[in-house]
Amino acid sequence: MSESSVTLPTAARLCEAIGHKSTIALERVSGHRHALYGLSVVRIGYGLILISILLVNYPERRLLWGPESPWTYEIFRETQRNLGQLSLYQISSSGIWFELVYHLTILLCVLFVLGWRTRWITPALLVAVWSWQERTPIVADGGDNLLRLILIYLCFAQLSAHWSLDARRAARRAAAGHEVRNGERLGWRVATVVHNGAVLAALFQVCVLYMASGLFKVQGQSWQEGTALYYMLQIETLQSWPSLSHLVYTNSIVLVIFAYLAVFTQVAFPFLMLNPVTRRLGLIAIIGMHVGIGVLLALPFFSLIMIVTDMLFVRDVSYRRATLAVTAVLERWRSQGSWPRAIVPAGEHTALVIRPPTR
C-alpha cells in the first residue's frame, strides 16, 4: 500500500473533523448567549447594593461626598488632575450640583435594578458610580474597585434577559410577531460574540483577583503561621459584634483552619471553576469566606459585592432548575388553597400576583 493512499484519506477526514469542530465552536460562541441568568442576578444585586449604600449614608451624604467633606473640592480637583481622571463632581463645587448628581445616581440604580433600557442605563450608571466613588476615595472599602471593573464589562453584555422590564417588552414584541429569529440575524450574532467576550472577561477578572489576593497572602508571615485572622479580629473598628469576634479569635484551631482554607480557596479558585463538582465546593467556600468577612469584620457591602459577582460562575441550567423548583412550590401552595390565585379577567395577560391569605 502506497504512502499517498494512506495519507490522503486521513488528511481528508482530519480536515472534515476540524471543520466540524470549528462549526461547533463558532456556534457556541456566536449562537448562544451565556450567563444570562447570572448577569440578571448581578444586575439586580449591584443595583440594590448601590441603592443601599447611597440611602444608608443619605443623611451624611454632604459630609462624605459633598461640599462639607474633609476631602475638600480643592483636594479632589488636584487629585483628579494628577491622576488624569474625570468625574461629574469636578464640574462644580456647588451644593445644588452635588445633590443633582447624587440623586441622579440613585435614579439610575433604580432603573438598573428594574432592567429598563439597560443597554443605555448601564454606561450611564458606570459614569455616575465612577464619579461618585472618585469624589472621596478614602471612603471606599475595596469592593468598589471590582464593581467598577465589572460594570465596564457589563456595558457590552445583555443584562436584562430575565426579571426585567426589557425582557417583558421583548416578550410582548415576540408575541405580536415583530421579532425575527435571532439566529438568522448577523447583527445578533456579532452582539452575541461581544456578550460572551464580556462574560469571559468578567470571569477572568474575578479569577485573577482571587488568585492575586491568595498569592499576596502566602507571602505574609502571619498567613503562613495561620495567625492573620487572630490579629484582624482584634481590631476594634472592624468588630461588628465584639463578643462574637472574641469567641472566634480565642479558638486557635478554628483560626488556623480558616486562614489556610481562605488562602487555598483563593489561590485554587480559577482551577476549582473548571469542574462542576469542584466549582460548587469552591463557590461554597468563597461565599462562606465573604459571609465571615461581612459579619466579623464589619464589611457587609464589600462582602455582598463579592458574593453577587461570584454568582456569574453559577450556570444558567442551575438557575433554571432553581426557578422551576420555586415555581413548583408556589403552584403547590396555590393548589392547596394556602395562597388563593388573584382573579384575572379573561383575555388579559398580567404578571403573576400572589396574595397572602386574609384573616
Side-chain angles (χ1 to χ4, degrees):
M1 184 179 292
S2 63
E3 182 180 354
S4 60
S5 63
V6 176
T7 304
L8 291 178
T10 303
R13 287 195 297 271
L14 180 62
C15 292
E16 182 180 356
I18 293 176
H20 180 63
K21 295 294 184 182
S22 300
T23 302
I24 294 176
L26 181 61
E27 183 65 23
R28 184 174 179 82
V29 172
S30 65
H32 175 70
R33 295 184 179 181
H34 299 276
L36 291 177
Y37 279 94
L39 288 169
S40 297
V41 171
V42 170
R43 185 197 83 240
I44 296 172
Y46 275 7
L48 292 177
I49 291 170
L50 290 171
I51 292 172
S52 300
I53 298 174
L54 290 165
L55 294 184
V56 166
N57 297 289
Y58 190 83
E60 294 81 24
R61 64 190 184 281
R62 297 175 67 89
L63 179 63
L64 292 174
W65 301 286
E68 301 172 9
S69 173
W71 193 265
T72 63
Y73 182 76
E74 290 71 22
I75 298 176
F76 164 62
R77 284 293 302 270
E78 184 65 24
T79 303
Q80 295 299 102
R81 188 181 301 110
N82 294 336
L83 296 177
Q85 297 183 359
L86 299 176
S87 171
L88 292 175
Y89 293 96
Q90 289 178 271
I91 297 177
S92 174
S93 61
S94 167
I96 297 177
W97 177 250
F98 163 76
E99 296 290 350
L100 177 63
V101 177
Y102 191 89
H103 289 85
L104 176 62
T105 305
I106 296 177
L107 175 61
L108 290 173
C109 290
V110 173
L111 296 177
F112 190 64
V113 171
L114 296 177
W116 182 80
R117 305 292 181 183
T118 315
R119 181 184 304 177
W120 308 107
I121 292 298
T122 305
L125 178 64
L126 173 62
V127 173
V129 170
W130 192 294
S131 300
W132 164 55
Q133 293 178 344
E134 284 296 318
R135 175 58 183 87
T136 311
I138 57 176
V139 179
D141 60 8
D144 59 303
N145 292 327
L146 179 65
L147 186 145
R148 288 193 295 183
L149 287 173
I150 299 299
L151 273 180
I152 294 175
Y153 305 136
L154 297 188
C155 291
F156 304 95
Q158 182 181 358
L159 309 180
S160 55
H162 303 283
W163 312 308
S164 68
L165 296 179
D166 287 348
R168 189 175 183 178
R169 183 174 59 256
R172 288 177 176 174
R173 294 187 61 184
H178 296 158
E179 290 289 339
V180 182
R181 292 185 60 184
N182 288 329
E184 300 175 357
R185 300 184 337 203
L186 178 60
W188 186 89
R189 291 267 182 173
V190 174
T192 299
V193 174
V194 175
H195 166 92
N196 291 332
V199 173
L200 183 61
L203 297 178
F204 180 75
Q205 182 69 62
V206 177
C207 289
V208 169
L209 184 147
Y210 280 135
M211 176 171 277
S213 178
L215 292 176
F216 277 118
K217 286 183 174 66
V218 169
Q219 301 176 44
Q221 183 177 356
S222 60
W223 286 100
Q224 296 174 8
E225 297 173 349
T227 59
L229 296 179
Y230 173 79
Y231 295 111
M232 283 193 293
L233 291 174
Q234 294 192 69
I235 302 176
E236 294 183 357
T237 55
L238 295 180
Q239 292 180 352
S240 302
W241 293 279
S243 57
L244 180 59
S245 299
H246 179 269
L247 180 64
V248 175
Y249 71 68
T250 53
N251 192 324
S252 58
I253 297 178
V254 172
L255 288 177
V256 172
I257 293 175
F258 283 178
Y260 288 156
L261 182 61
V263 174
F264 171 79
T265 303
Q266 288 185 311
V267 173
F269 186 83
F271 308 103
L272 295 175
M273 296 299 105
L274 299 178
N275 180 272
V277 177
T278 59
R279 184 188 303 121
R280 296 187 185 97
L281 296 176
L283 287 175
I284 291 173
I286 206 74
I287 290 174
M289 182 188 75
H290 288 307
V291 170
I293 292 174
V295 173
L296 296 175
L297 296 179
L299 293 171
F301 292 120
F302 166 80
S303 296
L304 287 173
I305 290 173
M306 300 304 299
I307 292 173
V308 168
T309 307
D310 291 336
M311 293 299 100
L312 282 174
F313 290 92
V314 180
R315 297 184 302 167
D316 279 351
V317 63
S318 299
Y319 283 113
R320 282 193 290 268
R321 289 172 182 170
T323 303
L324 290 175
V326 172
T327 303
V329 171
L330 295 178
E331 289 291 342
R332 185 161 56 249
W333 285 352
R334 232 183 1 253
S335 64
Q336 293 174 355
S338 299
W339 287 5
R341 183 193 299 269
I343 299 177
V344 180
E348 292 190 9
H349 299 278
T350 60
L352 177 64
V353 178
I354 299 176
R355 296 176 180 172
T358 57
R359 296 181 179 180

